[in-house]
Amino acid sequence: MPVSVSGRLANDAAPAVEDEVAAYVSAFGAPEVVEVLLPDTSGVLRGKWIPGPAMGKIWSDGVAIPLSIFGLDVWGCEVEATEIHLETGDKDGLCWPVSGTLKPVPWSPRPTAQVLITMHEPDGTARGRPWLLDPRQQLAAIVDRFAARGLFPCVAFELEFYLLKGDAPPGTMPEPVFPIAGQARQNMYSMSDLDAFAGVLHDMRSACSLQGLPADTVISEAAPGQFEVNLYHRVDALAAADDAILLRRLIDGVARRHGLRATFMAKPLVDFAGNGMHVHVSLMDPAGENLFARPDGEGDRALRHAAAGLLSTMADATLFFVPSFNGYRRLVPGSYAPTSITWGYDNRSVAVRVPNGPPKARRLEHRIAGAEAHPHLVLAAILAGMLEGLEAGIEPPAPLVGNGYENEAPSLSPSMAEAVARFSSSPFIAKAFGEEYRRVYGVMKAEELAAFSRVILPLEYDTYL
């Protein structure tokens, strides 16, 4: 099947405004409100409510939002050290809708639609040029590098999350819906836990169907009230990352309608598994054949080079995969999360796994990212690492056999401080994302780390006061 350099199928041209809006109204009726959604640097959705009768202007005129929105920290506060607001004069960018993302919002109490948007910088042309501080534009640029080589990433995300009681005061320890009675409450892959949450989980699946999100399996995970939703593979890396960020919003919205709270926090409960974001990637050629499945050793060689690229760039890119202070609590031995820079075949204790399956489905599974990470940045870093290995022909170490928590491989960054330092000085990050993006993201995360470092923990008062 022919593929365009944008990474989308060649026959998947963006529809005219009248086609997309008319198709929506015909299928779902006229909305009262349209929510335009712009994921910021932390993956937090920002945007506006636009009156339903004016929805056509989103396609014809774009949506004005300050370029400096990508200089907000995870709390929504301006990080002055990024200097984005000064360098741009705090002018507006022009955001355009992402084709195919105009969908109903079934958990809203009023007739509501939503559409994902992406940022452009005005440059005198009708649409402007891509604003490269927008993570979606960073991913698009890396996808285009693959397309120039005649390769097209086929991607699927897996997202883990907890369902918690919805009435806990802000800043307090989350309370699972199930009572915790020691490790016996783990109840992994339990059908009874799926049955207990059948109402909310079925509503999530129905909402996915209505919004066109390609949800696959739902499983009960390794902790009380923890679940995982898998998305089908897409030969469209941008759409796959869009799916992941919109799935998080869907899960949160449906949970709230049921009086519950969904969290993608990497490590919400000390004694139980954290929430991961696993990413499966294979590479397709223009004929739709999997590069990793080619015969005569060519597929094996390409897979090794791609895995080696991921391993060699992993330490530099860890800050994308684990962007939060809390996220480093998840990377501990025996936690179902990797702790070292390793790869292997059908081994869930390594960072990069080659799952079992038929040759045509041969792929790499990247297992480091926390569920709170930005899907577009996670995927951009994964693809950039794979490309590094393919272009340089890097060979990996021998695949790990056995317990990945007991080996002599280099460790993943044990702290956010180390990850920030490694990221901020990385030639690989500067090459793949640009020196300005490296500077801005590094500054933002350094400021976030400093905020946590200024907090005195309750345990300190209990111990030293």
Side-chain angles (χ1 to χ4, degrees):
M1 186 175 292
V3 184
S4 72
V5 294
S6 70
R8 294 189 180 276
L9 298 180
N11 60 0
D12 186 24
V17 54
E18 58 269 18
D19 295 337
E20 191 140 5
V21 172
Y24 180 92
V25 173
S26 175
F28 306 108
E32 292 183 14
V33 173
V34 180
E35 300 174 336
V36 293
L37 309 175
L38 180 65
D40 72 3
T41 303
S42 298
V44 175
L45 289 173
R46 306 198 184 274
K48 301 179 180 182
W49 282 9
I50 292 177
M55 66 190 296
K57 293 183 178 180
I58 302 170
W59 281 259
S60 61
D61 301 342
V63 179
I65 293 179
L67 292 166
S68 60
I69 201 166
F70 293 103
L72 300 181
D73 63 21
V74 70
W75 298 284
C77 300
E78 190 174 81
V79 181
E80 293 187 5
T82 65
E83 300 180 351
I84 298 173
H85 62 297
L86 296 175
E87 293 176 358
T88 65
D90 206 21
K91 68 180 180 181
D92 282 338
L94 200 55
C95 298
W96 296 99
V98 175
S99 177
T101 64
L102 178 62
K103 301 293 180 182
V105 183
W107 56 89
S108 176
R110 312 288 293 182
T112 302
Q114 69 178 35
V115 64
L116 199 64
I117 56 177
T118 189
M119 179 75 79
H120 288 68
E121 181 181 17
D123 64 352
T125 63
R127 293 182 63 87
R129 61 175 171 265
W131 179 238
L132 289 180
L133 291 185
D134 180 345
R136 193 175 192 278
Q137 300 289 6
Q138 285 285 345
L139 175 57
I142 292 172
V143 169
D144 283 346
R145 288 176 60 194
F146 273 91
R149 294 175 60 91
L151 293 174
F152 307 94
C154 180
V155 179
F157 282 82
E158 300 173 352
L159 283 171
E160 296 171 340
F161 62 95
Y162 278 87
L163 290 175
L164 307 168
K165 291 184 178 180
D167 54 0
T172 61
M173 188 176 76
E175 185 177 357
V177 175
F178 292 135
I180 298 175
Q183 288 297 120
R185 191 61 197 83
Q186 189 176 30
N187 216 19
M188 187 183 293
Y189 294 171
S190 164
M191 294 303 298
S192 63
D193 283 8
L194 291 175
D195 291 340
F197 284 90
V200 63
L201 295 175
H202 281 309
D203 280 357
M204 288 176 184
R205 290 188 61 84
S206 295
C208 284
S209 178
L210 191 65
Q211 292 195 339
L213 292 179
D216 187 12
T217 57
V218 179
I219 62 174
S220 170
E221 268 291 345
Q226 187 188 33
F227 300 92
E228 179 183 270
V229 175
N230 299 338
L231 292 165
Y232 282 110
H233 286 75
R234 278 187 181 260
V235 189
D236 185 335
L238 287 166
D242 296 343
D243 289 345
I245 209 157
L246 293 175
L247 178 63
R248 286 200 306 215
R249 183 170 198 261
L250 181 152
I251 289 169
D252 176 72
V254 173
R256 280 188 281 107
R257 283 295 299 268
H258 283 261
L260 299 170
R261 181 180 181 184
T263 182
F264 299 91
M265 182 178 179
K267 188 69 171 178
L269 300 173
V270 172
D271 295 325
F272 288 89
N275 288 320
M277 175 192 293
H278 300 163
V279 186
H280 295 249
V281 183
S282 54
L283 298 174
M284 314 304 284
D285 63 23
E289 299 296 326
N290 184 352
L291 171 64
F292 297 151
R294 287 181 180 173
D296 302 325
E298 186 177 356
D300 289 338
R301 184 165 54 252
L303 183 123
R304 291 198 313 272
H305 292 335
L310 288 174
L311 298 181
S312 67
T313 60
M314 193 170 288
D316 290 13
T318 295
L319 195 61
F320 281 145
F321 307 138
V322 190
S324 70
F325 182 82
N326 170 263
Y328 294 85
R329 301 184 187 277
R330 172 176 159 267
L331 304 180
V332 295
S335 63
Y336 305 101
T339 58
S340 58
I341 300 175
T342 50
W343 79 298
Y345 290 84
D346 197 25
N347 187 335
R348 285 185 170 84
S349 65
V350 299
V352 178
R353 170 178 172 247
V354 182
N356 274 339
K360 66 180 181 180
R362 205 153 185 240
R363 63 195 185 275
L364 295 172
E365 179 191 13
H366 192 275
R367 298 178 55 82
I368 301 171
E372 88 285 23
H374 198 311
H376 295 86
L377 290 177
V378 167
L379 184 53
I382 290 170
L383 294 179
M386 292 172 67
L387 195 58
E388 185 85 357
L390 290 167
E391 290 180 341
I394 306 171
E395 286 292 340
L400 185 72
V401 177
N403 187 349
Y405 301 116
E406 297 178 356
N407 67 87
E408 298 180 356
S411 297
L412 288 168
S413 295
S415 70
M416 188 176 184
E418 182 176 310
V420 168
R422 183 70 181 249
F423 178 96
S424 299
S425 61
S426 167
F428 163 72
I429 296 296
K431 172 185 173 184
F433 294 86
E435 292 186 3
E436 178 66 359
Y437 200 86
R438 182 183 68 176
R439 181 190 72 81
V440 168
Y441 192 85
V443 163
M444 292 176 70
K445 289 302 172 180
E447 290 283 324
E448 185 175 328
L449 174 62
F452 281 97
S453 300
R454 290 192 293 267
V455 174
I456 299 176
L457 300 175
L459 181 61
E460 295 178 70
Y461 288 118
D462 290 344
T463 304
Y464 303 117
L465 191 62

